[in-house]
Amino acid sequence: MSGRDFLQKLLDGERVEWLVLGDIAEIFNGLTGKNKSDFEGGDEKYIPYRNIFSNPAVDSMFLEAANVSPSENQNTVRFGDILFTASSETADEVGMSSVVMSDFPHAVYLNSFSFGVRVKQQIPLLPGFAKHLFRSNLMRSEISKTASGVTRFNISKERFRKLQIPIPCPDNPKKSLAIQSEIVRILDAFTELTAELTAELTAELTARKKQYNYYRDQLLRFEDGEVEWRMLGEVADIGTGSSNRQDEKADGIYPFFVRSKSILRSDTFEFDETAIVIPGEGGIGDIFHYVEGKYALHQRAYRISPTSNLVNAKFLYHFMSSSFKQYILMKSVGATAISIRKPMIEDFKIPIPPLAEQERIVAILDKFDALTNSLTEGLPREIELRQKQYAYYRDLLFSFPKAQEAEG
C-alpha cells in the first residue's frame, strides 16, 4: 500500500480542511521589557528559548526560574499551547516549535524571544497532533517563509497569521480527534523506537569517542625535552574572515565557514589554503573544521594556516583538537567577554616532532576519526538515518492534499 493510499484509508472518506491560523487561534508574545537578570533565579517559572528550539514537547523538566512578578499583565502558558522561537540566524531554523504537554501547577511565562499560539477550544486539535505537525516539513517550509532579515531572521506575525494548517473533518470533532489520535499513536510509537535506537547508538558513539580521545591524547603527549616546542604564532598565519551571514548563497560553489559546525555556501572565496577554522566566540575552544582549498570565512571566526615546513597541518589540527580547548578556557578565566583574541591563539604552544612522526600520528588518528565521527562511515550516520526515517513517516502522515490538489 502506498503512503497516499494509507492516508486515504485512515481518513476513511473524511475531508481535510486547511484553516487560517489567525482565524482559529490567538497569538501572544512572551515577556517584554525584561533584562538578563530577570531570567536568573526567582520564584516564578518560564520556558526558555533554547528548550522551545530543541524539544518538540515541553513539560515541567524544561522550566527555569525567573524574577518576573506574577502580577504583571502577561500571558501565562497553558496545556496545549504551541510555542515558537521568534528569530534565528538562519531562515530554516527560525520558528522552531514545541507544544506544552502538561498542566503546570503554577504560573509559567514565555521567554521574550518567543511567542505562543493558543487554538480556540471549538477547533478540534490534539496537542500531540500539533507537536508532530509543526515539526513536519509540511509546516516548517511554510513557517520559514514568514521570516525575513539579513544577519538575523525574524518572524513576521502578520505573515504567520496567514499560515494554513490541516484539520481532518473539523465539523465532526469526534471523528477528527479519532483520526488525529491514530496519527499521534503511530508517530509517538515511532518516536519512542527512534529514541531508543538513537540512545543505544549514541551510547556506543560516546564510548568510541572516549576511546578515540584517550588514544589521541596518548599519541600527542610529549615530555619536556623530548621535542621542540613553538608558539603557534611562530609557525602559522592567524586571522579572521570578512564575510557575514548575508553573504551566504544556498547554491554557492565555495564552502562558507561560520562560528559553528554548520557549513554554509558562498559565491565568493577569501582564502585558498590549508587551514584550521575555529570560532572566535560561541563554541570557545572548539575545533570545528579542517579545510583545504578555496573558502569564505565569517568575520568572527579564525583561520590558522601553517606557514612553516616544520609542521604538518593535519598534525596541528589533531593536536589542537586535543589540547586547545583546555588552554583557551584557562586563558579566558575572569574575562568579561567570552571570546578569543588573536594573541591568545598565537601564544598556544605546540610540539614539533620530526615530520615522519607527525605523518605516522596523523595516519592513525585519521582512521580513528573516520570510525567515530564520519557521517558516512561511523555511528553518526546510523543515528542520522534513524532520524530521517522518522521524519519520512511523519511527513507521509501529514501529506494532506489541499482543495486544489484534491480536485486535480
Coordinates of all heavy atoms in Angstrom, one line a residue, residues 72-142:
E72 N 2.2 41.0 36.8 CA 2.4 41.7 35.5 C 1.3 41.2 34.5 O 0.8 40.1 34.6 CB 3.7 41.4 34.9 CG 4.9 42.1 35.7 CD 6.2 41.9 35.1 OE1 6.3 42.2 33.9 OE2 7.1 41.4 35.8
N73 N 0.9 42.1 33.6 CA -0.1 41.8 32.6 C 0.5 41.0 31.5 O 0.7 41.5 30.4 CB -0.7 43.1 32.1 CG -1.9 42.8 31.1 OD1 -2.5 41.8 31.2 ND2 -2.2 43.8 30.3
Q74 N 0.8 39.7 31.7 CA 1.5 38.9 30.7 C 0.7 37.5 30.7 O 0.1 37.1 31.6 CB 2.9 38.5 31.1 CG 3.8 39.8 31.3 CD 4.2 40.3 29.9 OE1 4.0 39.7 28.9 NE2 4.9 41.4 29.9
N75 N 0.6 37.0 29.5 CA 0.0 35.7 29.3 C 0.8 34.6 30.0 O 2.1 34.6 29.9 CB -0.1 35.3 27.8 CG -1.3 35.9 27.1 OD1 -2.4 35.6 27.4 ND2 -1.1 36.9 26.3
T76 N 0.2 33.7 30.6 CA 0.8 32.5 31.2 C 0.6 31.4 30.2 O -0.4 31.4 29.5 CB 0.3 32.2 32.6 OG1 -1.1 32.0 32.5 CG2 0.7 33.2 33.6
V77 N 1.5 30.4 30.2 CA 1.4 29.3 29.3 C 0.5 28.2 29.8 O 0.5 27.9 31.0 CB 2.8 28.7 29.0 CG1 2.8 27.5 28.1 CG2 3.7 29.8 28.4
R78 N -0.3 27.6 28.9 CA -1.3 26.6 29.3 C -1.0 25.3 28.5 O -0.3 25.3 27.4 CB -2.7 27.1 29.0 CG -3.1 28.3 29.7 CD -4.5 28.7 29.2 NE -4.9 30.0 29.6 CZ -6.0 30.6 29.2 NH1 -6.8 30.0 28.3 NH2 -6.3 31.8 29.6
F79 N -1.6 24.2 29.0 CA -1.6 22.9 28.3 C -2.1 23.1 26.9 O -3.2 23.7 26.7 CB -2.4 21.9 29.1 CG -2.7 20.6 28.3 CD1 -1.6 19.7 28.1 CD2 -3.9 20.3 27.8 CE1 -1.8 18.6 27.4 CE2 -4.1 19.1 27.2 CZ -3.1 18.2 27.0
G80 N -1.4 22.6 25.9 CA -1.9 22.6 24.5 C -1.4 23.8 23.7 O -1.5 23.9 22.5
D81 N -0.8 24.8 24.4 CA -0.3 26.0 23.7 C 0.9 25.5 22.8 O 1.7 24.7 23.2 CB 0.3 27.0 24.7 CG -0.9 27.8 25.3 OD1 -2.0 27.7 24.9 OD2 -0.6 28.6 26.3
I82 N 1.0 26.1 21.6 CA 2.1 25.9 20.7 C 3.0 27.0 20.7 O 2.6 28.2 20.5 CB 1.5 25.7 19.2 CG1 0.4 24.7 19.2 CG2 2.7 25.2 18.3 CD1 -0.5 24.8 18.1
L83 N 4.3 26.8 21.1 CA 5.3 27.8 21.3 C 6.3 27.8 20.1 O 6.7 26.8 19.6 CB 6.0 27.6 22.6 CG 5.1 27.3 23.8 CD1 6.0 27.0 25.0 CD2 4.1 28.4 24.0
F84 N 6.7 29.0 19.7 CA 7.6 29.2 18.6 C 8.7 30.2 19.0 O 8.6 31.1 19.7 CB 6.9 29.8 17.4 CG 5.8 28.9 16.8 CD1 4.5 28.9 17.3 CD2 6.1 28.0 15.8 CE1 3.5 28.1 16.8 CE2 5.1 27.2 15.3 CZ 3.8 27.2 15.8
T85 N 9.9 29.9 18.4 CA 11.0 30.8 18.5 C 10.8 31.9 17.5 O 10.4 31.6 16.4 CB 12.4 30.1 18.3 OG1 12.3 29.5 17.0 CG2 12.6 29.0 19.3
A86 N 11.0 33.1 17.9 CA 10.7 34.3 17.0 C 11.8 34.7 16.1 O 11.5 35.4 15.1 CB 10.3 35.5 17.9
S87 N 13.0 34.2 16.3 CA 14.1 34.6 15.5 C 15.2 33.6 15.5 O 15.3 32.8 16.4 CB 14.7 36.0 15.9 OG 15.2 35.9 17.2
S88 N 16.1 33.7 14.5 CA 17.3 32.8 14.4 C 18.3 33.4 13.4 O 17.9 34.3 12.6 CB 16.9 31.4 14.0 OG 18.0 30.5 13.9
E89 N 19.5 32.9 13.4 CA 20.5 33.3 12.5 C 20.3 32.8 11.1 O 20.8 33.3 10.1 CB 21.9 33.0 13.0 CG 22.4 33.8 14.2 CD 23.8 33.6 14.5 OE1 24.4 32.7 13.9 OE2 24.4 34.4 15.2
T90 N 19.5 31.7 10.9 CA 19.2 31.2 9.6 C 17.7 31.0 9.4 O 17.0 30.7 10.4 CB 19.8 29.8 9.4 OG1 19.3 28.9 10.4 CG2 21.3 29.9 9.6
A91 N 17.2 31.3 8.2 CA 15.8 31.2 7.9 C 15.2 29.8 8.2 O 14.1 29.7 8.6 CB 15.5 31.7 6.5
D92 N 16.0 28.8 7.9 CA 15.5 27.4 8.1 C 15.2 27.1 9.5 O 14.4 26.2 9.8 CB 16.5 26.4 7.5 CG 16.5 26.5 6.0 OD1 15.5 27.0 5.4 OD2 17.5 26.0 5.4
E93 N 15.9 27.8 10.5 CA 15.8 27.4 11.9 C 14.8 28.3 12.6 O 14.4 28.0 13.7 CB 17.2 27.5 12.6 CG 18.1 26.4 12.1 CD 19.4 26.4 12.9 OE1 19.7 27.4 13.6 OE2 20.2 25.4 12.7
V94 N 14.5 29.4 12.1 CA 13.6 30.3 12.7 C 12.2 29.7 12.9 O 11.7 29.0 12.0 CB 13.5 31.7 12.0 CG1 12.7 31.6 10.7 CG2 12.8 32.7 12.9
G95 N 11.5 30.0 14.0 CA 10.1 29.5 14.1 C 10.1 28.0 14.5 O 9.1 27.4 14.2
M96 N 11.1 27.5 15.2 CA 11.0 26.1 15.7 C 9.9 26.1 16.8 O 9.7 27.1 17.5 CB 12.4 25.7 16.2 CG 13.4 25.5 15.2 SD 13.0 24.3 13.9 CE 13.3 22.8 14.9
S97 N 9.3 24.9 16.9 CA 8.1 24.9 17.7 C 8.2 23.8 18.8 O 9.0 22.9 18.7 CB 6.9 24.5 16.9 OG 7.0 23.2 16.3
S98 N 7.4 24.0 19.9 CA 7.2 23.0 20.9 C 5.8 23.1 21.3 O 5.2 24.2 21.1 CB 8.2 23.1 22.0 OG 8.0 24.3 22.7
V99 N 5.3 22.1 22.0 CA 3.9 22.1 22.4 C 3.9 21.8 23.9 O 4.5 20.9 24.4 CB 3.0 21.1 21.6 CG1 1.6 21.1 22.2 CG2 3.0 21.5 20.2
V100 N 3.1 22.6 24.7 CA 3.0 22.3 26.1 C 2.2 21.1 26.3 O 1.0 21.0 26.0 CB 2.4 23.5 26.8 CG1 2.3 23.3 28.3 CG2 3.2 24.8 26.5
M101 N 2.8 20.0 26.9 CA 2.2 18.7 27.0 C 1.7 18.4 28.4 O 1.4 17.2 28.7 CB 3.1 17.7 26.5 CG 3.5 17.9 25.0 SD 2.2 17.8 23.9 CE 1.7 16.1 24.0
S102 N 1.7 19.4 29.4 CA 1.3 19.1 30.7 C 0.6 20.3 31.3 O 0.9 21.4 30.9 CB 2.4 18.6 31.6 OG 3.4 19.6 31.7
D103 N -0.2 20.1 32.3 CA -0.8 21.2 33.1 C 0.2 21.5 34.2 O 0.6 20.7 35.0 CB -2.1 20.8 33.7 CG -3.2 20.7 32.7 OD1 -3.3 21.7 31.9 OD2 -4.0 19.7 32.7
F104 N 0.6 22.8 34.3 CA 1.5 23.2 35.3 C 0.8 23.7 36.5 O -0.3 24.3 36.5 CB 2.4 24.4 34.8 CG 3.2 24.1 33.6 CD1 3.1 24.9 32.4 CD2 4.0 23.0 33.5 CE1 3.8 24.6 31.3 CE2 4.8 22.7 32.4 CZ 4.7 23.5 31.3
P105 N 1.3 23.3 37.7 CA 0.6 23.6 39.0 C 0.8 25.1 39.4 O 0.4 25.5 40.4 CB 1.2 22.7 40.0 CG 2.6 22.4 39.5 CD 2.5 22.4 38.0
H106 N 1.5 25.9 38.6 CA 1.9 27.2 38.9 C 1.9 28.1 37.6 O 2.0 27.5 36.5 CB 3.2 27.3 39.7 CG 4.2 26.4 39.2 ND1 4.7 26.4 37.9 CD2 4.8 25.3 39.8 CE1 5.6 25.5 37.7 NE2 5.7 24.7 38.9
A107 N 2.0 29.4 37.8 CA 2.1 30.2 36.6 C 3.4 30.0 35.9 O 4.5 30.0 36.5 CB 1.9 31.7 37.0
V108 N 3.4 29.9 34.6 CA 4.6 29.7 33.8 C 4.5 30.8 32.6 O 3.5 30.9 31.9 CB 4.7 28.3 33.2 CG1 5.8 28.2 32.2 CG2 4.8 27.3 34.3
Y109 N 5.6 31.5 32.4 CA 5.7 32.5 31.4 C 6.5 32.1 30.3 O 7.3 31.1 30.3 CB 6.3 33.8 32.1 CG 5.4 34.3 33.2 CD1 5.6 33.9 34.5 CD2 4.4 35.2 32.9 CE1 4.8 34.4 35.5 CE2 3.6 35.7 33.9 CZ 3.8 35.3 35.2 OH 3.0 35.8 36.2
L110 N 6.4 32.8 29.2 CA 7.2 32.5 28.0 C 8.3 33.5 27.8 O 8.1 34.7 28.0 CB 6.2 32.6 26.8 CG 6.7 32.2 25.4 CD1 7.3 30.8 25.4 CD2 5.6 32.4 24.4
N111 N 9.4 33.0 27.4 CA 10.6 33.9 27.1 C 10.3 35.0 26.1 O 9.5 34.8 25.2 CB 11.8 33.0 26.6 CG 13.0 33.8 26.4 OD1 13.2 34.3 25.3 ND2 13.9 33.9 27.3
S112 N 11.0 36.1 26.3 CA 10.7 37.3 25.4 C 11.1 37.1 24.0 O 10.7 37.8 23.1 CB 11.5 38.5 26.0 OG 12.8 38.2 26.1
F113 N 12.0 36.1 23.7 CA 12.4 35.9 22.3 C 11.5 34.8 21.6 O 11.8 34.3 20.6 CB 13.8 35.4 22.2 CG 14.8 36.4 22.7 CD1 15.4 36.3 24.0 CD2 15.1 37.5 22.0 CE1 16.3 37.3 24.4 CE2 16.0 38.5 22.4 CZ 16.6 38.3 23.7
S114 N 10.3 34.6 22.2 CA 9.4 33.5 21.7 C 8.0 34.1 21.6 O 7.7 35.2 22.2 CB 9.5 32.3 22.5 OG 10.8 31.9 22.7
F115 N 7.1 33.3 21.0 CA 5.7 33.7 21.1 C 4.9 32.4 21.1 O 5.4 31.3 20.7 CB 5.3 34.6 19.9 CG 5.4 34.0 18.5 CD1 4.3 33.4 17.9 CD2 6.6 34.0 17.8 CE1 4.4 32.8 16.7 CE2 6.7 33.4 16.6 CZ 5.6 32.8 16.0
G116 N 3.6 32.5 21.5 CA 2.7 31.4 21.6 C 1.5 31.4 20.7 O 1.1 32.5 20.4
V117 N 0.9 30.3 20.4 CA -0.3 30.2 19.7 C -1.3 29.3 20.5 O -0.9 28.2 20.9 CB -0.1 29.5 18.3 CG1 -1.4 29.2 17.6 CG2 0.8 30.4 17.4
R118 N -2.5 29.9 20.7 CA -3.5 29.2 21.5 C -4.7 29.0 20.7 O -5.4 29.9 20.3 CB -3.8 30.0 22.8 CG -4.8 29.3 23.7 CD -4.9 30.0 25.1 NE -3.6 29.9 25.7 CZ -3.2 30.8 26.7 NH1 -4.0 31.8 27.0 NH2 -2.0 30.7 27.2
V119 N -4.9 27.8 20.2 CA -6.0 27.4 19.3 C -7.4 27.5 20.1 O -7.5 27.1 21.3 CB -5.8 26.1 18.7 CG1 -7.0 25.7 17.8 CG2 -4.5 26.0 17.9
K120 N -8.4 28.1 19.5 CA -9.7 28.2 20.1 C -10.3 26.8 20.5 O -10.0 25.8 19.8 CB -10.7 28.9 19.1 CG -10.3 30.3 18.8 CD -11.2 30.9 17.8 CE -10.8 32.4 17.5 NZ -11.7 33.0 16.5
Q121 N -11.0 26.8 21.6 CA -11.5 25.5 22.1 C -12.4 24.7 21.2 O -12.4 23.5 21.2 CB -12.2 25.7 23.4 CG -11.3 26.1 24.6 CD -12.0 26.2 25.9 OE1 -13.3 26.2 26.0 NE2 -11.3 26.3 27.0
Q122 N -13.1 25.5 20.3 CA -14.1 24.8 19.4 C -13.4 24.1 18.3 O -14.0 23.4 17.5 CB -15.1 25.7 18.9 CG -14.6 26.9 18.1 CD -14.4 28.1 19.0 OE1 -14.0 28.0 20.1 NE2 -14.6 29.3 18.4
I123 N -12.1 24.4 18.1 CA -11.3 23.7 17.0 C -10.7 22.4 17.5 O -9.9 22.4 18.4 CB -10.2 24.7 16.5 CG1 -10.8 26.0 16.0 CG2 -9.4 24.0 15.3 CD1 -11.8 25.9 14.9
P124 N -11.1 21.3 16.9 CA -10.5 20.0 17.4 C -9.0 19.9 17.0 O -8.7 19.6 15.8 CB -11.4 19.0 16.6 CG -11.9 19.7 15.4 CD -12.0 21.1 15.8
L125 N -8.2 20.1 17.9 CA -6.7 19.9 17.6 C -6.0 19.3 18.9 O -6.0 20.0 19.9 CB -6.1 21.3 17.3 CG -4.6 21.3 17.0 CD1 -4.3 20.5 15.7 CD2 -4.0 22.7 16.9
L126 N -5.6 18.1 18.8 CA -4.9 17.5 19.9 C -3.5 18.1 20.0 O -2.8 18.3 19.0 CB -4.8 16.0 19.6 CG -6.0 15.1 19.7 CD1 -5.7 13.7 19.3 CD2 -6.6 15.2 21.1
P127 N -3.0 18.3 21.2 CA -1.7 18.8 21.4 C -0.6 17.9 20.8 O 0.4 18.3 20.2 CB -1.5 18.8 23.0 CG -2.9 19.0 23.4 CD -3.8 18.3 22.5
G128 N -0.8 16.5 20.9 CA 0.1 15.6 20.3 C 0.2 15.7 18.8 O 1.2 15.6 18.2
F129 N -1.0 16.0 18.2 CA -1.1 16.2 16.7 C -0.3 17.5 16.3 O 0.5 17.5 15.4 CB -2.5 16.3 16.3 CG -2.8 16.4 14.8 CD1 -2.8 15.3 14.0 CD2 -3.0 17.6 14.2 CE1 -3.0 15.4 12.7 CE2 -3.3 17.7 12.8 CZ -3.2 16.6 12.1
A130 N -0.5 18.5 17.1 CA 0.2 19.8 16.9 C 1.7 19.6 17.1 O 2.5 20.2 16.3 CB -0.3 20.9 17.8
K131 N 2.1 18.8 18.1 CA 3.5 18.6 18.3 C 4.2 18.0 17.1 O 5.3 18.5 16.7 CB 3.7 17.6 19.5 CG 5.1 17.2 19.8 CD 5.1 16.1 20.9 CE 4.6 14.8 20.4 NZ 4.7 13.7 21.3
H132 N 3.6 17.0 16.4 CA 4.3 16.5 15.2 C 4.0 17.3 14.0 O 4.9 17.5 13.2 CB 3.7 15.1 15.0 CG 4.1 14.0 16.0 ND1 5.3 13.6 16.2 CD2 3.3 13.4 17.0 CE1 5.4 12.7 17.2 NE2 4.2 12.6 17.7
L133 N 2.9 17.9 13.9 CA 2.5 18.7 12.7 C 3.5 19.9 12.5 O 4.0 20.1 11.4 CB 1.1 19.3 12.9 CG 0.7 20.3 11.8 CD1 0.6 19.6 10.4 CD2 -0.7 20.9 12.1
F134 N 3.8 20.7 13.5 CA 4.5 21.9 13.4 C 6.0 21.6 13.2 O 6.8 22.5 12.9 CB 4.2 22.9 14.5 CG 2.9 23.6 14.3 CD1 1.8 23.2 15.0 CD2 2.8 24.7 13.4 CE1 0.6 23.8 14.8 CE2 1.6 25.3 13.2 CZ 0.5 24.9 13.9
R135 N 6.4 20.4 13.4 CA 7.8 20.0 13.2 C 8.0 19.3 11.8 O 9.1 18.9 11.4 CB 8.3 19.1 14.3 CG 8.6 19.8 15.6 CD 10.0 20.3 15.7 NE 10.2 21.1 16.9 CZ 11.4 21.2 17.5 NH1 12.5 20.7 17.0 NH2 11.5 22.0 18.6
S136 N 6.9 19.1 11.1 CA 6.9 18.4 9.9 C 7.5 19.3 8.8 O 7.4 20.5 8.9 CB 5.5 17.9 9.5 OG 4.7 19.0 9.2
N137 N 8.0 18.7 7.7 CA 8.5 19.5 6.6 C 7.3 20.3 6.0 O 7.6 21.4 5.4 CB 9.2 18.7 5.5 CG 10.5 18.2 6.0 OD1 11.2 18.8 6.8 ND2 10.9 17.0 5.5
L138 N 6.1 19.8 6.0 CA 5.0 20.5 5.5 C 4.8 21.9 6.1 O 4.6 22.8 5.4 CB 3.7 19.6 5.9 CG 2.4 20.3 5.5 CD1 2.1 20.1 4.1 CD2 1.3 19.6 6.4
M139 N 4.9 22.0 7.4 CA 4.8 23.3 8.1 C 6.1 24.0 8.2 O 6.1 25.3 8.1 CB 4.2 23.1 9.5 CG 2.8 22.5 9.5 SD 1.6 23.5 8.5 CE 1.8 25.2 9.2
R140 N 7.2 23.3 8.4 CA 8.5 24.0 8.5 C 8.8 24.9 7.3 O 9.3 26.0 7.4 CB 9.6 23.0 8.7 CG 9.7 22.3 10.0 CD 10.0 23.3 11.2 NE 11.1 24.1 10.9 CZ 11.1 25.4 11.3 NH1 10.1 25.9 11.9 NH2 12.1 26.2 11.0
S141 N 8.5 24.4 6.1 CA 8.8 25.1 4.9 C 7.9 26.4 4.8 O 8.4 27.4 4.3 CB 8.6 24.3 3.6 OG 7.2 23.8 3.6
E142 N 6.7 26.3 5.3 CA 5.8 27.4 5.3 C 6.2 28.5 6.4 O 6.1 29.7 6.1 CB 4.3 27.0 5.5 CG 3.8 26.1 4.3 CD 3.9 26.8 3.0 OE1 3.4 28.0 2.9 OE2 4.4 26.2 2.0

